[in-house]
Amino acid sequence: MPLELRFGADDLLRIRFAISPLCETHEALRTLRRTDRHGYHLPWLRRMRERVAGLDLAPVWLFMPVRRPGYTPDFLGRPPDVPLADFGEELARLRATDPELARAEMAKSLACVPGAADSPRGRAALADPARAVRELADVTERAWEALLAPDWPRLRALLEAEIAYRSRQLASGGLRRLFADLHPRVSWSDDGTLTVRNRTDVLLMRDLEGRGVLLLPSVFVWPDVISGFDPPWQPTVIYPARGIGGLWREPAGGPALARLLGANRAAVLAALDAPATTSALAHRLGLAPSSVSAHLAVLRGAGLLVSRRQGHQVLYERTPLGIALVAGG
């Protein structure tokens, strides 16, 4: 539903970004059964087919209604407190969910689907919410290990590059620039209102009251944008990150580029559709990090790449010359 988030002076000081592997796991699970989300992720879906067949996802899918309007309990993917969350720590927080809070949110979710609360699984969850939380956490952990953990370096690199890009937008043009192209259904008004338009005509208006907003880029939420999270958690907007169109493509710069630069060096340059770290490139290309580092140094020295530090990591991205060379290849 359309949601208007009204900012006060304190809220402007509490806008932050974060990456959540727990939230990304649940969005990936939602993508498995939402055909309108398949698009860019078809190569991943094909690769995961056998792994999905070995998972019992019914306990989680019970609380992920496909029909709209629907509600997924906030405690399943509560907003992280730190910029780059650790999956193990997020999972521990999920396991520690208060049973009474869990029961209230599960009841709200089940009410969105006729008959769900009276189903055997629905009744069992409401009768013993502590057990239901443990089961949901166990399923989430197995899904993470099977579906996301092997590709997490690649996903994390894309999400970190997205945050770096948005941070530069905020620094150069303020909130108007930041929200200008975040998502077609997200808009900023200079009266201090952030509007997130979803798929119903019901309008909700909320004063943030000093809590600010967490912006959570996601690979698997595309093409949706999700807003919400009631107290005790910070209001959050989960939106699609840039670069997902090339995420699952195998890097290829063409035979001419390989003849010019060498096969591995050309692969490194072609793989940089979005900024990435040495380790992420090594994981994606199946090369040793030391080899990738040497190739990056040569490409940067030739003016084909630039590098910038973000926290403890260094991100590499193509220069206009590097982009032109890959396109020409």
Side-chain angles (χ1 to χ4, degrees):
M1 61 188 69
L3 175 64
E4 288 189 355
L5 301 173
R6 295 178 175 174
F7 285 68
D10 290 342
D11 299 303
L12 298 175
L13 303 175
R14 293 181 173 86
I15 299 175
R16 64 187 183 95
F17 290 91
I19 294 172
S20 169
L22 179 70
C23 289
E24 201 67 352
T25 300
H26 289 136
E27 291 306 321
L29 294 181
R30 201 187 309 274
T31 297
L32 293 177
R33 64 196 309 221
R34 285 269 307 275
T35 56
D36 59 322
R37 284 191 177 189
H38 286 183
Y40 294 126
H41 300 303
L42 283 173
W44 176 81
L45 289 162
R46 296 188 190 103
R47 186 156 51 87
M48 293 296 117
R49 191 172 296 150
E50 291 186 6
R51 299 182 190 181
V52 171
L55 296 172
D56 178 11
L57 300 174
V60 171
W61 277 344
L62 179 66
F63 299 105
M64 291 184 176
V66 174
R67 60 185 297 175
R68 298 183 177 92
Y71 173 76
T72 297
D74 286 346
F75 73 84
L76 273 179
R78 64 181 66 188
D81 294 328
V82 296
L84 178 55
D86 174 78
F87 178 79
E89 294 176 358
E90 288 194 293
L91 188 67
R93 292 176 66 204
L94 171 57
R95 292 189 187 279
T97 301
D98 176 75
E100 289 303 313
L101 183 149
R103 189 187 190 283
E105 292 204 346
M106 289 190 294
K108 182 178 178 180
S109 177
L110 293 172
C112 296
V113 180
D118 293 326
S119 67
R121 194 177 291 275
R123 291 199 305 270
L126 297 178
D128 192 348
R131 182 180 182 278
V133 168
R134 292 195 298 271
E135 184 178 37
L136 289 167
D138 289 343
V139 173
T140 298
E141 184 175 21
R142 290 193 292 270
W144 158 260
E145 292 174 349
L147 306 180
L148 260 74
D151 290 312
W152 184 242
R154 181 189 298 195
L155 303 180
R156 185 181 64 192
L158 186 144
L159 296 173
E160 288 174 340
E162 164 67 17
I163 291 176
Y165 171 77
R166 297 296 172 187
S167 299
R168 293 197 297 271
Q169 282 190 309
L170 181 61
S172 63
L175 294 176
R176 180 186 296 179
R177 177 76 179 276
L178 171 64
F179 292 119
D181 64 346
L182 193 79
H183 191 276
R185 297 201 297 271
V186 175
S187 60
W188 171 258
S189 172
D190 287 339
D191 67 358
T193 301
L194 181 66
T195 302
V196 183
R197 297 176 179 84
N198 291 324
R199 302 178 185 273
T200 70
D201 295 328
V202 179
L203 176 64
L204 290 180
M205 295 178 286
R206 294 183 183 174
D207 290 320
L208 293 175
E209 299 177 339
R211 293 183 294 153
V213 164
L214 170 63
L215 299 174
L216 203 67
S218 168
V219 167
F220 288 101
V221 76
W222 177 91
D224 296 327
V225 59
I226 298 175
S227 58
F229 291 91
D230 292 324
W233 298 301
Q234 185 177 19
T236 300
V237 176
I238 306 175
Y239 70 94
R242 299 162 64 252
I244 60 174
L247 179 64
W248 305 117
R249 289 204 309 260
E250 290 303 319
L257 187 64
R259 288 195 298 270
L260 177 66
L261 300 177
N264 288 342
R265 198 166 292 160
V268 170
L269 183 63
L272 285 168
D273 288 324
T277 63
T278 301
S279 58
L281 288 168
H283 180 270
R284 181 177 180 183
L285 298 171
L287 299 173
S290 58
S291 296
V292 172
S293 180
H295 293 318
L296 289 169
V298 172
L299 294 169
R300 184 176 58 182
L304 303 178
L305 301 180
V306 292
S307 61
R308 53 184 168 79
R309 181 166 292 280
Q310 179 178 303
H312 297 298
Q313 296 182 318
V314 176
L315 292 174
Y316 293 86
E317 56 186 314
R318 292 196 295 246
T319 62
L321 177 60
I323 294 171
L325 189 61
V326 171

